[in-house]
Amino acid sequence: MSNAAANLVALNTLIRREIVRIMRIWTQTLIPPAITMTLYFVIFGKLIGSRIGNIEGGFSYMQYIVPGLVMMSIITNSYGNISSSFFGAKFSRAVEEMLVSPMPNWVILLGYVAGAVARGLVVGILVLLIALFFTDLHVLHPLITFASVLLGATIFSLAGFVNAVYAKKFDDIALVPTFILTPLTYLGGVFYSVNMLGEPWQAISRANPILYMVNAFRYGVLGISDVHVGVAFAVMLGFVVALSIVALQLLKRGVGLRS
């Protein structure tokens, strides 16, 4: 068997294992985010949104927050999936076996990232379907919508991978989502337009990568954005490249992976 064929088999095995894991514990991976987002739609979209009325572009507040909430569910689930899965493999020393095998590091990384992105996409679709029970949505730019979702999920899958590499115990997995990911999400323009903020908060918000992911996705769905779409995609691609290099270097050096 050629190296390319062997790598393809290894990659397919890793992805299939991750997807089987997601579906095996679907009550933990799919149902909780669906319930959480439903509560967001009811409380923020219906109860609070009915008092706010129309927002930017003539859209209702519910329509405005749906893209942000969908993206929030995608990135949090992508992050959570790979951080817990890879750390579990590291804890059981399965990663050491992969590192000493002929499997290239990029195959290991791509396999875990693809599994995390798959979970993010499934949860995103599920949340979007739930949103349709509360409001009407028409995707204006399908390619931009899909590309923003794919890049956003990939970025936080890679970030979750880096977190799992450095984590020494399961509690370390929860630190980043609690103290970094959640604040960045709420300050990323999910519930409001960044243009409503005064300085210096507007400038600070524009340093938040989640702002660009949310607005790129919102532009794909609604056609409105607080930032230039080209800039948003440039920022996201930059993060994908940078985090991929970091993750591959960590695998190559075996940081926190080899005993």
Coordinates of all heavy atoms in Angstrom, one line a residue, residues 45-142:
G45 N -34.9 36.4 22.0 CA -35.6 36.6 20.7 C -37.0 37.0 20.9 O -37.5 38.1 20.3
K46 N -37.8 36.3 21.7 CA -39.2 36.5 21.8 C -39.5 37.6 22.9 O -40.2 38.6 22.6 CB -40.0 35.2 22.1 CG -40.2 34.3 20.9 CD -41.1 35.0 19.9 CE -41.4 34.1 18.7 NZ -42.2 34.7 17.6
L47 N -39.1 37.3 24.1 CA -39.5 38.2 25.2 C -38.8 39.5 25.1 O -39.5 40.6 25.1 CB -39.1 37.5 26.5 CG -39.9 36.2 26.8 CD1 -39.5 35.6 28.2 CD2 -41.4 36.3 26.7
I48 N -37.5 39.6 25.0 CA -36.8 40.8 24.9 C -36.9 41.4 23.5 O -37.1 42.6 23.3 CB -35.3 40.7 25.3 CG1 -35.2 40.2 26.7 CG2 -34.6 42.0 25.1 CD1 -33.8 39.9 27.2
G49 N -36.8 40.6 22.5 CA -36.9 41.1 21.1 C -38.2 41.7 20.7 O -38.2 42.7 19.9
S50 N -39.3 41.3 21.3 CA -40.6 41.9 21.0 C -40.7 43.3 21.5 O -41.4 44.2 21.0 CB -41.7 41.1 21.6 OG -41.6 41.0 23.1
R51 N -39.9 43.7 22.5 CA -39.8 45.0 23.0 C -38.8 45.9 22.2 O -39.0 47.1 22.2 CB -39.4 45.0 24.5 CG -40.5 44.3 25.4 CD -40.0 44.2 26.8 NE -41.0 43.5 27.7 CZ -42.0 44.1 28.3 NH1 -42.1 45.4 28.2 NH2 -42.8 43.4 29.1
I52 N -37.8 45.3 21.7 CA -36.8 46.0 20.9 C -37.4 46.4 19.5 O -37.1 47.5 19.0 CB -35.5 45.2 20.8 CG1 -34.9 45.0 22.2 CG2 -34.5 45.9 19.8 CD1 -33.7 44.1 22.1
G53 N -38.1 45.5 18.9 CA -38.6 45.8 17.6 C -37.6 45.6 16.5 O -36.7 44.7 16.7
N54 N -37.6 46.3 15.4 CA -36.7 46.1 14.3 C -35.3 46.7 14.6 O -35.2 47.7 15.3 CB -37.2 46.7 13.0 CG -38.4 45.9 12.4 OD1 -38.6 44.8 12.8 ND2 -39.1 46.5 11.5
I55 N -34.3 46.0 14.1 CA -32.9 46.5 14.3 C -32.3 46.8 13.0 O -33.0 46.9 12.0 CB -32.1 45.5 15.2 CG1 -30.9 46.1 15.8 CG2 -31.8 44.3 14.4 CD1 -30.3 45.2 16.9
E56 N -31.0 46.9 12.9 CA -30.3 47.2 11.7 C -30.8 46.4 10.4 O -31.0 45.2 10.5 CB -28.8 46.9 11.9 CG -27.9 47.4 10.7 CD -26.4 47.1 11.0 OE1 -26.1 46.8 12.1 OE2 -25.7 47.2 10.1
G57 N -31.0 47.2 9.3 CA -31.4 46.6 8.1 C -32.9 46.2 8.0 O -33.3 45.6 7.1
G58 N -33.6 46.7 9.0 CA -35.1 46.4 9.0 C -35.4 45.0 9.5 O -36.6 44.5 9.3
F59 N -34.5 44.2 10.0 CA -34.7 42.9 10.5 C -35.2 42.9 11.9 O -34.9 43.8 12.7 CB -33.4 42.0 10.4 CG -33.0 41.8 9.0 CD1 -31.9 42.5 8.5 CD2 -33.6 40.8 8.2 CE1 -31.5 42.3 7.2 CE2 -33.1 40.6 6.9 CZ -32.1 41.4 6.4
S60 N -36.0 41.9 12.3 CA -36.4 41.8 13.7 C -35.2 41.4 14.5 O -34.2 40.9 14.0 CB -37.6 40.8 13.8 OG -37.0 39.5 13.6
Y61 N -35.3 41.7 15.8 CA -34.2 41.3 16.7 C -34.0 39.8 16.7 O -32.8 39.4 16.8 CB -34.5 41.8 18.1 CG -33.4 41.7 19.1 CD1 -32.2 42.4 18.9 CD2 -33.4 40.7 20.1 CE1 -31.1 42.2 19.7 CE2 -32.3 40.6 21.0 CZ -31.2 41.3 20.8 OH -30.1 41.2 21.6
M62 N -35.0 39.0 16.6 CA -34.9 37.6 16.5 C -34.1 37.2 15.3 O -33.1 36.4 15.4 CB -36.2 36.9 16.5 CG -36.2 35.4 16.2 SD -35.5 34.5 17.5 CE -36.9 34.3 18.6
Q63 N -34.4 37.8 14.1 CA -33.6 37.5 12.9 C -32.2 37.9 13.0 O -31.3 37.2 12.6 CB -34.3 38.2 11.7 CG -35.6 37.6 11.3 CD -36.3 38.4 10.2 OE1 -36.3 39.6 10.3 NE2 -36.8 37.7 9.2
Y64 N -32.0 39.0 13.7 CA -30.6 39.5 13.9 C -29.7 38.6 14.7 O -28.5 38.5 14.4 CB -30.7 41.0 14.5 CG -29.3 41.6 14.5 CD1 -28.8 42.3 13.4 CD2 -28.5 41.6 15.7 CE1 -27.6 42.9 13.4 CE2 -27.3 42.3 15.7 CZ -26.8 42.9 14.6 OH -25.6 43.5 14.6
I65 N -30.3 38.1 15.8 CA -29.4 37.3 16.7 C -29.3 35.8 16.3 O -28.4 35.2 16.8 CB -29.9 37.4 18.2 CG1 -31.3 36.7 18.3 CG2 -30.0 38.8 18.7 CD1 -31.8 36.5 19.7
V66 N -30.1 35.3 15.4 CA -30.0 33.9 15.0 C -28.7 33.6 14.4 O -28.1 32.6 14.9 CB -31.2 33.6 14.0 CG1 -30.9 32.2 13.3 CG2 -32.5 33.5 14.7
P67 N -28.1 34.3 13.5 CA -26.8 34.0 13.0 C -25.7 33.9 14.0 O -24.9 33.0 14.1 CB -26.5 35.1 11.9 CG -27.8 35.6 11.5 CD -28.7 35.5 12.7
G68 N -25.8 34.9 15.0 CA -24.8 34.9 16.1 C -24.9 33.7 17.0 O -23.9 33.1 17.4
L69 N -26.2 33.3 17.3 CA -26.4 32.2 18.2 C -26.0 30.9 17.5 O -25.5 29.9 18.1 CB -27.9 32.1 18.6 CG -28.3 33.2 19.6 CD1 -29.8 33.2 19.9 CD2 -27.5 33.1 20.9
V70 N -26.3 30.8 16.2 CA -25.9 29.6 15.5 C -24.4 29.5 15.4 O -23.8 28.4 15.7 CB -26.4 29.6 14.0 CG1 -25.8 28.5 13.2 CG2 -28.0 29.5 14.0
M71 N -23.7 30.6 15.2 CA -22.2 30.5 15.1 C -21.7 30.3 16.5 O -20.7 29.5 16.7 CB -21.7 31.9 14.6 CG -20.2 31.9 14.6 SD -19.4 30.7 13.5 CE -19.7 31.4 11.9
M72 N -22.3 30.8 17.6 CA -21.8 30.5 18.9 C -21.9 29.1 19.2 O -21.0 28.5 19.9 CB -22.7 31.3 19.9 CG -22.2 31.2 21.4 SD -23.1 32.4 22.5 CE -24.7 31.6 22.6
S73 N -23.0 28.4 18.9 CA -23.2 27.0 19.1 C -22.1 26.2 18.3 O -21.6 25.2 18.8 CB -24.6 26.5 18.8 OG -24.8 26.7 17.4
I74 N -21.8 26.6 17.1 CA -20.9 25.9 16.3 C -19.5 25.9 16.9 O -18.8 24.9 17.0 CB -20.9 26.5 14.8 CG1 -22.2 26.1 14.1 CG2 -19.6 26.0 14.0 CD1 -22.3 26.8 12.8
I75 N -19.0 27.1 17.3 CA -17.6 27.2 17.7 C -17.5 26.6 19.1 O -16.4 26.0 19.4 CB -17.1 28.7 17.7 CG1 -18.0 29.6 18.6 CG2 -17.1 29.3 16.3 CD1 -17.5 31.1 18.7
T76 N -18.5 26.7 20.0 CA -18.3 26.2 21.3 C -18.3 24.6 21.3 O -17.6 24.0 22.0 CB -19.4 26.6 22.3 OG1 -20.7 26.4 21.6 CG2 -19.3 28.1 22.6
N77 N -19.1 24.1 20.4 CA -19.2 22.6 20.3 C -18.0 22.1 19.5 O -17.5 21.0 19.9 CB -20.5 22.2 19.6 CG -21.7 22.2 20.5 OD1 -21.9 21.2 21.2 ND2 -22.4 23.3 20.5
S78 N -17.5 22.8 18.5 CA -16.2 22.3 17.9 C -15.1 22.3 18.9 O -14.3 21.4 18.9 CB -15.9 23.3 16.7 OG -16.9 23.2 15.7
Y79 N -15.0 23.4 19.6 CA -13.9 23.5 20.6 C -14.1 22.4 21.7 O -13.1 21.7 22.0 CB -14.0 24.9 21.3 CG -12.9 25.2 22.2 CD1 -11.8 26.0 21.8 CD2 -12.8 24.7 23.5 CE1 -10.7 26.3 22.6 CE2 -11.8 25.0 24.4 CZ -10.7 25.8 23.9 OH -9.7 26.1 24.7
G80 N -15.3 22.3 22.2 CA -15.5 21.3 23.3 C -15.2 19.9 22.9 O -14.7 19.0 23.6
N81 N -15.6 19.5 21.6 CA -15.4 18.2 21.1 C -14.0 17.8 21.0 O -13.6 16.7 21.5 CB -16.1 18.0 19.7 CG -16.1 16.6 19.3 OD1 -17.0 15.9 19.6 ND2 -15.2 16.2 18.5
I82 N -13.1 18.6 20.4 CA -11.7 18.2 20.2 C -10.9 18.3 21.5 O -10.0 17.4 21.7 CB -11.1 19.0 19.1 CG1 -9.8 18.4 18.6 CG2 -10.9 20.5 19.5 CD1 -9.3 19.0 17.3
S83 N -11.2 19.2 22.3 CA -10.5 19.3 23.6 C -10.7 18.1 24.5 O -9.8 17.6 25.0 CB -10.8 20.6 24.3 OG -12.2 20.7 24.6
S84 N -12.0 17.7 24.6 CA -12.3 16.6 25.4 C -11.8 15.2 24.8 O -11.3 14.4 25.4 CB -13.8 16.5 25.7 OG -14.5 16.3 24.5
S85 N -12.0 15.1 23.5 CA -11.6 13.9 22.8 C -10.1 13.7 22.7 O -9.6 12.6 23.1 CB -12.2 13.9 21.3 OG -11.8 12.7 20.6
F86 N -9.4 14.7 22.4 CA -7.9 14.5 22.3 C -7.3 14.4 23.7 O -6.4 13.6 23.8 CB -7.3 15.7 21.5 CG -5.8 15.5 21.2 CD1 -5.5 14.7 20.2 CD2 -4.8 16.1 22.0 CE1 -4.1 14.5 19.9 CE2 -3.5 15.9 21.7 CZ -3.1 15.1 20.6
F87 N -7.8 15.1 24.7 CA -7.3 15.0 26.0 C -7.6 13.6 26.5 O -6.7 13.0 27.2 CB -7.8 16.0 27.0 CG -7.3 15.9 28.3 CD1 -6.0 16.4 28.6 CD2 -7.9 15.3 29.4 CE1 -5.4 16.3 29.9 CE2 -7.4 15.1 30.6 CZ -6.1 15.7 30.9
G88 N -8.7 13.0 26.2 CA -9.0 11.7 26.6 C -8.1 10.7 26.0 O -7.6 9.7 26.7
A89 N -7.7 10.9 24.7 CA -6.8 10.0 24.1 C -5.4 10.2 24.7 O -4.6 9.2 24.8 CB -6.7 10.3 22.6
K90 N -5.0 11.4 25.0 CA -3.8 11.7 25.7 C -3.7 11.0 27.1 O -2.7 10.4 27.5 CB -3.5 13.2 25.8 CG -2.1 13.5 26.3 CD -1.9 15.0 26.3 CE -2.5 15.7 27.4 NZ -2.1 17.1 27.6
F91 N -4.8 11.1 27.8 CA -4.9 10.6 29.1 C -4.7 9.0 29.1 O -4.1 8.5 30.0 CB -6.2 11.0 29.8 CG -6.4 10.6 31.2 CD1 -5.7 11.3 32.2 CD2 -7.1 9.5 31.6 CE1 -5.9 11.0 33.5 CE2 -7.3 9.1 32.9 CZ -6.6 9.9 33.9
S92 N -5.3 8.4 28.1 CA -5.2 6.9 28.0 C -4.0 6.5 27.2 O -3.8 5.3 27.0 CB -6.5 6.4 27.3 OG -6.5 6.9 25.9
R93 N -3.1 7.5 26.9 CA -1.8 7.2 26.2 C -2.0 6.7 24.8 O -1.1 6.1 24.2 CB -0.9 6.3 27.0 CG -0.6 6.8 28.4 CD 0.5 6.0 29.0 NE 0.9 6.5 30.3 CZ 1.6 7.6 30.6 NH1 2.1 8.3 29.5 NH2 1.9 8.0 31.8
A94 N -3.2 6.9 24.2 CA -3.4 6.5 22.8 C -2.7 7.4 21.9 O -2.3 7.0 20.8 CB -4.9 6.5 22.5
V95 N -2.5 8.6 22.3 CA -1.8 9.6 21.4 C -0.3 9.1 21.2 O 0.2 9.3 20.1 CB -1.8 11.0 22.0 CG1 -0.9 12.0 21.2 CG2 -3.2 11.5 22.0
E96 N 0.3 8.6 22.2 CA 1.7 8.1 22.1 C 1.8 7.0 21.0 O 2.8 7.0 20.3 CB 2.2 7.6 23.4 CG 2.4 8.7 24.5 CD 2.9 8.1 25.8 OE1 3.5 7.0 25.8 OE2 2.8 8.8 26.8
E97 N 0.8 6.2 21.0 CA 0.8 5.1 20.0 C 0.7 5.7 18.6 O 1.3 5.2 17.6 CB -0.3 4.1 20.2 CG -0.2 3.4 21.6 CD -1.4 2.5 21.8 OE1 -2.3 2.5 21.0 OE2 -1.5 1.9 22.9
M98 N -0.1 6.8 18.4 CA -0.2 7.4 17.1 C 1.1 8.1 16.7 O 1.5 8.1 15.5 CB -1.4 8.4 17.1 CG -2.8 7.7 17.1 SD -4.1 8.9 16.9 CE -4.1 9.7 18.5
L99 N 1.7 8.7 17.7 CA 3.0 9.5 17.4 C 4.1 8.5 16.9 O 5.0 9.0 16.2 CB 3.4 10.3 18.6 CG 2.5 11.5 18.9 CD1 2.9 12.2 20.2 CD2 2.4 12.5 17.8
V100 N 4.2 7.3 17.5 CA 5.2 6.4 17.1 C 4.9 5.6 15.9 O 5.7 4.8 15.4 CB 5.6 5.5 18.3 CG1 6.1 6.3 19.4 CG2 4.4 4.6 18.7
S101 N 3.6 5.7 15.4 CA 3.2 5.0 14.2 C 3.7 5.7 13.0 O 4.1 6.9 13.0 CB 1.7 4.9 14.2 OG 1.1 6.1 13.9
P102 N 3.6 5.1 11.8 CA 4.0 5.8 10.5 C 3.0 6.9 10.1 O 3.2 7.6 9.1 CB 4.0 4.7 9.5 CG 3.9 3.4 10.2 CD 3.3 3.7 11.5
M103 N 2.0 7.1 10.9 CA 1.0 8.2 10.6 C 1.6 9.6 10.7 O 2.1 9.9 11.8 CB -0.2 8.0 11.5 CG -1.4 8.9 11.1 SD -2.7 8.9 12.5 CE -2.9 7.1 12.8
P104 N 1.5 10.4 9.7 CA 2.0 11.8 9.7 C 1.3 12.6 10.7 O 0.1 12.3 11.0 CB 1.9 12.3 8.3 CG 1.7 11.1 7.5 CD 1.0 10.1 8.3
N105 N 1.9 13.6 11.3 CA 1.2 14.5 12.2 C 0.0 15.2 11.7 O -1.0 15.4 12.3 CB 2.2 15.5 12.8 CG 3.3 14.9 13.7 OD1 3.1 13.8 14.3 ND2 4.5 15.5 13.8
W106 N 0.1 15.6 10.4 CA -1.0 16.3 9.8 C -2.2 15.4 9.7 O -3.3 15.9 9.7 CB -0.6 16.9 8.4 CG -0.3 15.9 7.3 CD1 0.9 15.3 7.0 CD2 -1.3 15.3 6.5 NE1 0.7 14.4 5.9 CE2 -0.6 14.4 5.6 CE3 -2.7 15.4 6.3 CZ2 -1.3 13.6 4.6 CZ3 -3.4 14.6 5.4 CH2 -2.6 13.8 4.5
V107 N -2.1 14.1 9.5 CA -3.2 13.2 9.5 C -3.9 13.2 10.9 O -5.1 13.2 11.0 CB -2.8 11.8 9.1 CG1 -3.9 10.8 9.2 CG2 -2.3 11.8 7.6
I108 N -3.1 13.1 11.9 CA -3.6 13.1 13.3 C -4.4 14.4 13.5 O -5.6 14.4 14.0 CB -2.5 13.0 14.3 CG1 -1.7 11.7 14.2 CG2 -3.1 13.1 15.8 CD1 -0.5 11.5 15.0
L109 N -3.8 15.5 13.2 CA -4.5 16.8 13.4 C -5.7 16.9 12.6 O -6.8 17.3 13.1 CB -3.5 17.9 13.1 CG -4.0 19.4 13.2 CD1 -4.4 19.6 14.7 CD2 -3.0 20.4 12.8
L110 N -5.6 16.6 11.3 CA -6.8 16.7 10.4 C -7.9 15.8 10.8 O -9.1 16.2 10.8 CB -6.4 16.4 9.0 CG -7.5 16.6 7.9 CD1 -8.0 18.0 7.9 CD2 -6.9 16.3 6.5
G111 N -7.6 14.6 11.3 CA -8.6 13.7 11.7 C -9.4 14.2 12.9 O -10.7 14.2 12.9
Y112 N -8.7 14.7 13.9 CA -9.4 15.2 15.1 C -10.2 16.5 14.7 O -11.3 16.7 15.2 CB -8.4 15.5 16.2 CG -8.1 14.3 17.0 CD1 -7.0 13.5 16.8 CD2 -9.0 13.9 18.0 CE1 -6.7 12.4 17.5 CE2 -8.7 12.7 18.8 CZ -7.6 12.0 18.5 OH -7.3 10.9 19.3
V113 N -9.6 17.4 13.9 CA -10.2 18.6 13.6 C -11.5 18.4 12.7 O -12.5 19.0 12.9 CB -9.3 19.5 12.8 CG1 -10.0 20.7 12.1 CG2 -8.2 20.1 13.7
A114 N -11.4 17.4 11.8 CA -12.6 17.1 11.0 C -13.7 16.6 11.8 O -14.9 16.9 11.6 CB -12.2 16.0 9.9
G115 N -13.4 15.7 12.8 CA -14.5 15.2 13.7 C -15.1 16.4 14.5 O -16.3 16.4 14.7
A116 N -14.3 17.3 15.0 CA -14.8 18.4 15.7 C -15.7 19.3 14.9 O -16.8 19.8 15.3 CB -13.7 19.2 16.4
V117 N -15.2 19.6 13.6 CA -16.0 20.4 12.7 C -17.3 19.8 12.4 O -18.3 20.4 12.3 CB -15.1 20.7 11.4 CG1 -16.0 21.3 10.3 CG2 -14.0 21.6 11.7
A118 N -17.3 18.4 12.2 CA -18.5 17.7 11.9 C -19.5 17.9 13.0 O -20.7 18.1 12.8 CB -18.2 16.2 11.7
R119 N -19.1 17.8 14.3 CA -20.0 18.1 15.4 C -20.5 19.5 15.4 O -21.7 19.7 15.6 CB -19.4 17.8 16.7 CG -20.3 18.1 17.9 CD -19.6 17.8 19.2 NE -20.3 18.4 20.4 CZ -19.9 18.3 21.6 NH1 -18.8 17.5 21.9 NH2 -20.5 18.9 22.6
G120 N -19.6 20.4 15.1 CA -20.1 21.8 15.1 C -21.1 22.1 14.0 O -22.1 22.8 14.2
L121 N -20.9 21.4 12.8 CA -21.9 21.6 11.7 C -23.2 21.0 12.0 O -24.3 21.6 11.7 CB -21.3 21.0 10.4 CG -20.1 21.7 9.8 CD1 -19.6 21.0 8.6 CD2 -20.4 23.2 9.5
V122 N -23.2 19.8 12.6 CA -24.5 19.1 13.0 C -25.2 19.9 14.0 O -26.4 20.2 13.9 CB -24.2 17.7 13.5 CG1 -25.5 17.1 14.1 CG2 -23.6 16.8 12.4
V123 N -24.5 20.4 15.0 CA -25.2 21.3 16.0 C -25.7 22.6 15.4 O -26.8 23.0 15.7 CB -24.2 21.6 17.2 CG1 -24.9 22.6 18.1 CG2 -23.9 20.3 18.0
G124 N -24.9 23.2 14.5 CA -25.3 24.4 13.9 C -26.6 24.2 13.0 O -27.5 25.0 13.1
I125 N -26.7 23.1 12.3 CA -27.9 22.8 11.5 C -29.1 22.6 12.4 O -30.2 23.1 12.1 CB -27.6 21.6 10.6 CG1 -26.6 21.9 9.5 CG2 -28.9 21.1 10.0 CD1 -26.1 20.7 8.7
L126 N -28.8 21.9 13.5 CA -29.9 21.6 14.5 C -30.5 22.9 15.1 O -31.7 23.1 15.1 CB -29.4 20.7 15.6 CG -30.4 20.2 16.6 CD1 -31.5 19.4 15.9 CD2 -29.7 19.3 17.6
V127 N -29.6 23.8 15.5 CA -30.0 25.1 16.0 C -30.7 25.9 15.0 O -31.7 26.6 15.3 CB -28.7 25.8 16.6 CG1 -29.1 27.2 17.0 CG2 -28.2 25.1 17.8
L128 N -30.2 25.9 13.8 CA -30.8 26.7 12.7 C -32.2 26.2 12.4 O -33.2 27.0 12.2 CB -30.0 26.6 11.4 CG -30.4 27.5 10.3 CD1 -30.3 29.0 10.7 CD2 -29.5 27.3 9.1
L129 N -32.4 24.9 12.5 CA -33.8 24.3 12.3 C -34.7 24.8 13.4 O -35.9 25.1 13.2 CB -33.7 22.8 12.2 CG -33.0 22.2 10.9 CD1 -32.9 20.7 11.0 CD2 -33.8 22.6 9.7
I130 N -34.2 24.8 14.6 CA -35.0 25.2 15.8 C -35.4 26.7 15.6 O -36.5 27.1 15.9 CB -34.2 25.0 17.1 CG1 -34.0 23.5 17.4 CG2 -34.9 25.7 18.3 CD1 -33.1 23.2 18.5
A131 N -34.4 27.5 15.1 CA -34.7 28.9 14.9 C -35.8 29.2 13.9 O -36.5 30.2 14.0 CB -33.4 29.6 14.4
L132 N -36.0 28.3 13.0 CA -37.0 28.5 12.0 C -38.4 28.3 12.6 O -39.4 28.7 11.9 CB -36.9 27.4 10.8 CG -35.6 27.6 10.0 CD1 -35.5 26.5 8.9 CD2 -35.6 29.0 9.3
F133 N -38.5 27.8 13.8 CA -39.8 27.7 14.5 C -40.2 29.1 15.1 O -41.3 29.3 15.4 CB -39.8 26.7 15.6 CG -39.8 25.3 15.1 CD1 -38.7 24.5 15.0 CD2 -41.1 24.7 14.7 CE1 -38.7 23.2 14.5 CE2 -41.1 23.4 14.3 CZ -40.0 22.6 14.2
F134 N -39.2 30.0 15.2 CA -39.4 31.3 15.8 C -39.4 32.4 14.8 O -40.0 33.5 15.1 CB -38.3 31.5 16.9 CG -38.3 30.6 18.0 CD1 -37.6 29.4 18.0 CD2 -39.1 30.8 19.1 CE1 -37.6 28.5 19.0 CE2 -39.1 30.0 20.2 CZ -38.4 28.8 20.2
T135 N -38.8 32.3 13.7 CA -38.7 33.4 12.7 C -38.4 32.8 11.3 O -38.1 31.6 11.1 CB -37.5 34.3 13.1 OG1 -37.6 35.5 12.2 CG2 -36.2 33.7 13.0
D136 N -38.5 33.7 10.3 CA -38.2 33.3 8.9 C -36.8 33.8 8.5 O -36.4 34.9 8.9 CB -39.2 34.0 8.0 CG -40.7 33.5 8.2 OD1 -40.8 32.3 8.5 OD2 -41.6 34.3 8.1
L137 N -36.1 32.9 7.9 CA -34.8 33.3 7.4 C -34.6 32.8 6.0 O -35.1 31.8 5.6 CB -33.7 32.5 8.3 CG -33.5 33.1 9.7 CD1 -32.5 32.1 10.4 CD2 -33.0 34.5 9.7
H138 N -33.9 33.6 5.2 CA -33.6 33.3 3.8 C -32.1 33.6 3.6 O -31.6 34.7 3.7 CB -34.4 34.2 2.8 CG -35.9 34.0 3.0 ND1 -36.6 32.9 2.6 CD2 -36.8 34.8 3.7 CE1 -37.9 33.1 2.9 NE2 -38.0 34.2 3.6
V139 N -31.3 32.6 3.4 CA -29.8 32.7 3.2 C -29.6 33.4 1.9 O -29.9 32.9 0.8 CB -29.2 31.3 3.2 CG1 -27.7 31.5 3.0 CG2 -29.4 30.6 4.5
L140 N -29.0 34.6 2.0 CA -28.7 35.4 0.8 C -27.5 35.0 0.0 O -27.4 35.0 -1.2 CB -28.6 36.9 1.2 CG -29.8 37.6 1.7 CD1 -29.6 39.0 2.1 CD2 -31.0 37.5 0.8
H141 N -26.4 34.6 0.8 CA -25.1 34.2 0.2 C -24.7 32.8 0.7 O -23.9 32.8 1.7 CB -24.1 35.3 0.5 CG -24.5 36.7 0.1 ND1 -24.6 37.1 -1.2 CD2 -24.9 37.7 0.9 CE1 -25.0 38.4 -1.1 NE2 -25.2 38.8 0.1
P142 N -25.2 31.8 0.1 CA -24.9 30.4 0.6 C -23.4 30.1 0.7 O -23.0 29.5 1.7 CB -25.6 29.5 -0.4 CG -26.6 30.4 -1.1 CD -26.1 31.7 -1.1

